[in-house]
């Protein structure tokens, strides 16, 4: 018989019933011949109080009921007379699946640093903090699908291994089956990828966008939700080498539709988490103080500020604050600039649109001014850029000119150009970094703490 989850007992358990629960012991204290055990099973922020009295046959097993032990208990569910919980179980049966060596269990005490917990990645999901993070993450992932499915977007599965490197080869991981001590080389000593598994060089994908484009140009609105990889050596609190991205692509849509969708999407994520993870958010609000119910409620209602890149530069030039990086039309916005816009000027989310073409990707649609492209970034307070998106260039000649200017080889991009040769149509999309969004909602300071197994430079232990 499967146990009942503690979440269900606490929300709709009937007092007077006999129930069976399984979980891990958080704490145990004894007083006057009665023991109180706090049990958690990962289903909720709360623990369930187990009461073991001296008369219970379970009493003589208490010695092995240490913090960290996995147990199964059965007993009567009762109103709790004590403070801090409404219900408790009067234990009649107790089975210890696995005790935990009390001296060595690393999660003995409360209040470990996040850095220490990263060293025990396999045990940290048992803490309040990480239980909360992963429950919120789960609700958000579910909301992603619900949001797009309700709007008629089709979930498409773009490849993880790809041959396209046109987004900037520097950031890519190579995928190879060549033996590293016997790498075949050509005349000039260059690696001969013709002898590699796919007959040419392959990479881990940095984005599913290009493939999502051809799917949108046949199926209509689509979205991807999967892992992406970046080999960039940026050791920051907002970058992972492996992260999950959500990339909707809309057929017959322009940049305004794109911004509307992005805004609606972010608001929906905030609203759903507020609805379904109230306890978790209350926990983050209390212990980490980087998020709050009010802030999320605000974000789920207020329209985002929309400002052109040109006007954003004007705002930044007016700033009294001294920036580390220069502010000048034509230069990319650094995160200190983004933060200034969200945290100081507008005090909320900001969408910056129409960036200079020189600092954006080749596929973004050229605006009539011939200087800017229909690109937009959504910036959130504290985390900065959360979404990068654009209307795609659908005009064959304009796209070819752009590729020529940037010296992008045409051979491997013929299929992409075909989409502009045959039945081309306006389309737009964006990419949202899932972990950055989890980070924003939970207020966790470091992106390494919102994914079970963070991959960053020099770190892949768990
Ligand atoms: P940044 O300037 O912050 O490095 P980017 O411009 O490289 O980001 P895009 O290529 O536009 O990002 O990717 C779309 C989204 O994916 C970003 O808005 C961000 O939310 C997320 N993202 C990008 N790189 C990372 C990363 N290394 N780790 C986690 N999320 C990322
Ligand atoms: Mn970007």
């Amino acid at each position: 018989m499967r146990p009942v989850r503690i979440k269900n007992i606490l929300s709709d358990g009937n007092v007077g019933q006999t129930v069976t629960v399984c979980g891990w012991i958080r704490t145990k204290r004894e007083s006057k011949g009665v023991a109180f055990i706090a049990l958690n099973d990962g289903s909720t922020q709360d623990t369930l109080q187990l009461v073991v009295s001296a008369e219970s046959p379970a009493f003589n097993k208490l010695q092995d009921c240490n913090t960290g032990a996995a147990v199964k208990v059965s007993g009567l569910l009762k109103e709790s007379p004590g403070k801090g919980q409404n219900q408790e179980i009067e234990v009649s049966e107790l089975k210890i699946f696995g005790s935990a060596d009390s001296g060595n269990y690393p999660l003995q005490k409360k209040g470990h640093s996040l850095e220490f917990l990263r060293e025990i990645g396999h045990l940290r999901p048992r803490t309040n903090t990480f239980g909360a993070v992963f429950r919120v993450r789960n609700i958000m992932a579910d909301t992603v699908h619900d949001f797009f499915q309700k709007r008629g977007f089709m979930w498409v599965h773009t490849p993880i291994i790809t041959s396209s490197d046109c987004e900037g080869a520097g950031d890519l991981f190579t995928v190879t089956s060549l033996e590293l001590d016997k790498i075949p080389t050509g005349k000039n000593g260059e690696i001969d990828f013709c002898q590699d598994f796919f007959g040419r060089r392959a990479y881990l994908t940095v984005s599913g966008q290009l493939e999502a484009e051809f799917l949108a140009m046949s199926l209509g609105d689509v979205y991807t939700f999967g892992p992406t990889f970046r080999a960039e050596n940026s050791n920051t609190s907002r970058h992972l080498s492996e992260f999950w991205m959500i990339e909707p692509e809309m057929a017959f849509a322009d940049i305004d539709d794109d911004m509307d969708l992005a805004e609606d999407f972010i608001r929906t994520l905030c609203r759903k988490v507020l609805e379904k993870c109230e306890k978790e958010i209350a926990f983050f609000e209390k212990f980490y103080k980087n998020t709050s119910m009010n802030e999320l409620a605000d974000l789920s209602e207020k329209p985002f500020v929309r400002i052109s890149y040109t006007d954003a530069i004007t705002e930044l030039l007016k700033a009294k604050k001294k920036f580390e990086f220069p502010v000048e039309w034509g230069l990319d916005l650094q995160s200190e600039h983004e933060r200034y816009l969200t945290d100081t000027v507008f005090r909320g989310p900001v969408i910056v649109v129409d960036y200079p073409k020189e600092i954006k990707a080749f596929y973004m649609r050229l605006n009539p001014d011939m200087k800017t492209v229909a690109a937009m970034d959504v910036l959130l307070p504290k985390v900065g850029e959360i979404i990068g998106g654009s209307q795609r260039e659908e005009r064959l000649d304009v796209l070819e000119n752009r590729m020529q200017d940037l010296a992008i080889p045409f051979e491997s991009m013929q299929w992409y150009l075909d989409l502009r040769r045959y039945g081309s149509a306006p389309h737009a999309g964006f990419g949202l970094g899932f972990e950055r969004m989890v980070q924003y909602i939970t207020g966790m300071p470091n992106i390494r703490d919102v994914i079970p197994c963070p991959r960053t430079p020099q770190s892949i232990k768990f």
Side-chain angles (χ1 to χ4, degrees):
M1 195 190 84
R2 301 297 320 278
V4 188
R5 304 299 307 268
I6 290 176
K7 179 186 182 158
N8 298 346
I9 293 188
L10 295 178
S11 63
D12 48 39
N14 289 328
V15 169
Q17 271 182 335
T18 297
V19 292
T20 299
V21 295
C22 294
W24 294 269
I25 293 175
R26 283 279 175 83
T27 58
K28 175 184 68 176
R29 66 189 166 83
E30 284 175 63
S31 86
K32 299 178 205 139
V34 191
F36 299 95
I37 292 173
L39 193 73
N40 185 274
D41 69 353
S43 64
T44 168
Q45 203 65 20
D46 296 318
T47 53
L48 179 62
Q49 171 149 290
L50 312 176
V51 183
V52 188
S53 64
E55 298 84 62
S56 166
F59 199 74
N60 58 11
K61 297 182 189 162
L62 279 176
Q63 206 178 337
D64 288 327
C65 290
N66 292 320
T67 296
V71 298
K72 172 178 174 175
V73 298
S74 300
L76 194 65
L77 188 66
K78 297 172 53 172
E79 300 281 359
S80 175
K83 269 204 295 227
Q85 68 278 325
N86 297 326
Q87 287 128 326
E88 59 188 27
I89 291 184
E90 190 182 276
V91 177
S92 47
E93 274 175 59
L94 185 149
K95 180 178 163 60
I96 299 171
F97 289 120
S99 62
D101 182 341
S102 61
N104 290 323
Y105 184 57
L107 292 175
Q108 210 55 241
K109 292 192 304 274
K110 285 185 180 172
H112 296 292
S113 73
L114 294 170
E115 288 78 10
F116 169 75
L117 292 172
R118 262 173 239 148
E119 301 292 314
I120 49 165
H122 58 308
L123 294 173
R124 67 177 187 167
R126 294 192 193 176
T127 62
N128 277 328
T129 297
F130 287 91
V133 167
F134 298 136
R135 281 189 294 278
V136 169
R137 190 180 163 112
N138 170 58
I139 292 299
M140 288 174 64
D142 189 47
T143 303
V144 168
H145 289 299
D146 189 58
F147 175 88
F148 287 113
Q149 294 292 331
K150 282 212 171 97
R151 282 164 182 74
F153 285 63
M154 206 182 287
W155 184 20
V156 294
H157 303 87
T158 50
I160 286 175
I161 302 176
T162 170
S163 62
S164 89
D165 66 346
C166 48
E167 290 226 34
D171 296 350
L172 294 151
F173 286 102
T174 294
V175 176
T176 181
S177 63
L178 292 175
E179 285 181 54
L180 295 183
D181 51 356
K182 281 186 263 167
I183 292 182
T185 50
K187 277 197 234 63
N188 305 319
E190 77 285 0
I191 298 173
D192 182 12
F193 283 103
C194 295
Q195 297 186 46
D196 201 352
F197 193 88
F198 297 104
R200 57 192 282 191
R201 191 167 185 171
Y203 309 91
L204 291 178
T205 184
V206 294
S207 156
Q209 182 206 314
L210 301 188
E211 293 89 353
E213 277 190 54
F214 76 68
L215 292 159
M217 285 293 101
S218 42
L219 301 170
D221 299 345
V222 298
Y223 69 104
T224 70
F225 184 10
T228 43
F229 308 85
R230 307 245 169 129
E232 59 194 345
N233 203 354
S234 38
N235 244 315
T236 77
S237 59
R238 328 180 295 134
H239 288 89
L240 289 166
S241 314
E242 175 178 314
F243 65 98
W244 286 62
M245 187 139 70
I246 296 135
E247 295 180 278
E249 191 68 38
M250 291 181 287
F252 314 111
D254 62 19
I255 190 75
D256 291 318
D257 300 316
D258 208 30
M259 291 191 281
D260 291 345
L261 183 77
E263 204 175 313
D264 197 10
F265 183 41
I266 289 178
R267 279 214 289 265
T268 302
L269 285 167
C270 290
R271 203 172 48 244
K272 278 284 176 237
V273 169
L274 273 182
E275 259 170 52
K276 298 194 168 175
C277 304
E278 201 184 322
K279 289 220 154 91
E280 283 77 7
I281 299 303
F283 169 83
F284 290 123
E285 183 168 348
K286 185 165 169 209
F287 288 99
Y288 291 95
K289 301 183 171 65
N290 282 328
T291 188
S292 73
M293 303 270 199
N294 286 340
E295 186 186 330
L296 295 184
D298 228 36
L299 198 103
S300 64
E301 279 158 19
K302 260 204 311 218
F304 294 7
V305 170
R306 295 183 187 185
I307 181 176
S308 70
Y309 166 89
T310 303
D311 290 345
I313 291 293
T314 308
E315 281 297 335
L316 293 170
L317 288 172
K318 281 197 305 207
K320 295 211 177 62
K321 185 176 160 42
K322 273 262 167 287
F323 296 112
E324 187 185 335
F325 293 93
V327 174
E328 189 190 315
W329 200 98
L331 297 182
D332 207 356
L333 300 182
Q334 300 297 323
S335 58
E336 56 169 348
H337 307 137
E338 298 176 345
R339 298 278 181 90
Y340 182 78
L341 293 173
T342 53
D343 298 10
T344 309
V345 185
F346 299 109
R347 296 178 181 281
V350 178
I351 307 184
V352 181
V353 63
D354 297 331
Y355 283 79
K357 64 174 196 266
E358 286 76 15
I359 57 173
K360 289 291 180 186
F362 74 96
Y363 51 72
M364 298 185 176
R365 192 178 197 278
L366 191 62
N367 283 325
D369 65 12
M370 306 297 273
K371 290 194 303 208
T372 62
V373 288
M376 60 104 180
D377 277 3
V378 181
L379 314 178
L380 288 186
K382 294 174 297 191
V383 295
E385 183 194 326
I386 190 96
I387 281 181
S390 66
Q391 183 172 342
R392 320 306 187 188
E393 184 56 75
E394 85 283 11
R395 297 161 296 186
L396 181 64
D397 53 333
V398 183
L399 185 60
E400 284 179 336
N401 284 338
R402 275 287 278 157
M403 287 170 60
Q404 221 145 32
D405 287 349
L406 295 170
I408 295 172
F410 279 45
E411 310 89 72
S412 61
M413 292 303 286
Q414 284 309 330
W415 67 267
Y416 192 72
L417 293 168
D418 264 359
L419 299 176
R420 279 74 186 166
R421 287 187 188 108
Y422 312 126
S424 188
H427 59 294
F430 62 76
L432 174 134
F434 189 54
E435 284 75 17
R436 290 224 185 134
M437 193 62 204
V438 181
Q439 222 188 330
Y440 176 76
I441 285 190
T442 58
M444 291 302 283
N446 197 311
I447 198 164
R448 291 168 177 79
D449 299 327
V450 298
I451 185 165
C453 304
R455 271 86 184 89
T456 51
Q458 301 298 312
S459 167
I460 191 167
K461 184 167 169 199
F462 296 100

